[in-house]
Amino acid sequence: MISQSELDAILAQQPESVRQLCRQVVRLLANVAGLTGSVKLGWRSVNFRHEVAGLVCAVFPHDDRVAIYFENGRPLEDRDGLLEGSHLKKGRFLRLYPGEPVPETAIVMLVAEAVALKL
């Protein structure tokens, strides 16, 4: 379960627009079946694990955006072309900016694919 006080702590220094976006993304991921989220204060992230597949992704708030890092993102199909980080060995990430639409369906599909690849 995600501690709201810990989430508040990692968002305290961010602009309101980033705080709102981060909360939206965290809510979306928290509602994906099989995922549980926990705030990692040292990493300043919210990590999401699947009960069988393990660590799937993490949400990182930044000064101007929110990033979703997919732990094993390299093999993801990414049909919508949302992922960056092709230079990374293992993971890839998605950048979301305040004021832009959040591709909720695509994010949920990426999570489902990431889980399926680890099962």
Side-chain angles (χ1 to χ4, degrees), residues 69-107:
Y69 176 79
F70 287 89
E71 178 72 10
N72 292 307
R74 295 279 298 156
L76 297 178
E77 265 189 55
D78 188 23
R79 292 174 186 90
D80 297 306
L82 299 173
L83 295 176
E84 299 178 51
S86 59
H87 62 286
L88 300 174
K89 289 182 181 180
K90 186 176 175 185
R92 286 199 289 173
F93 57 92
L94 167 63
R95 293 181 197 191
L96 303 167
Y97 293 91
E100 294 181 4
V102 175
E104 292 184 357
T105 301
I107 291 169

Side-chain angles (χ1 to χ4, degrees), residues 14-22 63-64 66 97-99:
Q14 307 306 334
E16 179 61 27
S17 59
V18 170
R19 288 196 299 263
Q20 288 177 6
L21 177 58
C22 189
D63 290 340
D64 64 339
V66 172
Y97 293 91

Side-chain angles (χ1 to χ4, degrees), residues 6-100:
E6 290 179 344
L7 182 57
D8 290 344
I10 67 169
L11 294 176
Q13 302 300 315
Q14 307 306 334
E16 179 61 27
S17 59
V18 170
R19 288 196 299 263
Q20 288 177 6
L21 177 58
C22 189
R23 289 182 192 288
Q24 178 184 356
V25 172
V26 166
R27 272 192 309 274
L28 172 68
L29 293 170
N31 286 317
V32 173
L35 285 188
T36 55
S38 62
V39 175
K40 301 299 180 189
L41 294 172
W43 286 92
R44 300 185 53 77
S45 66
V46 181
N47 292 10
F48 286 90
R49 299 183 66 78
H50 182 268
E51 52 201 15
V52 177
L55 181 62
V56 175
C57 63
V59 177
F60 291 90
H62 297 276
D63 290 340
D64 64 339
R65 69 190 179 283
V66 172
I68 304 172
Y69 176 79
F70 287 89
E71 178 72 10
N72 292 307
R74 295 279 298 156
L76 297 178
E77 265 189 55
D78 188 23
R79 292 174 186 90
D80 297 306
L82 299 173
L83 295 176
E84 299 178 51
S86 59
H87 62 286
L88 300 174
K89 289 182 181 180
K90 186 176 175 185
R92 286 199 289 173
F93 57 92
L94 167 63
R95 293 181 197 191
L96 303 167
Y97 293 91
E100 294 181 4

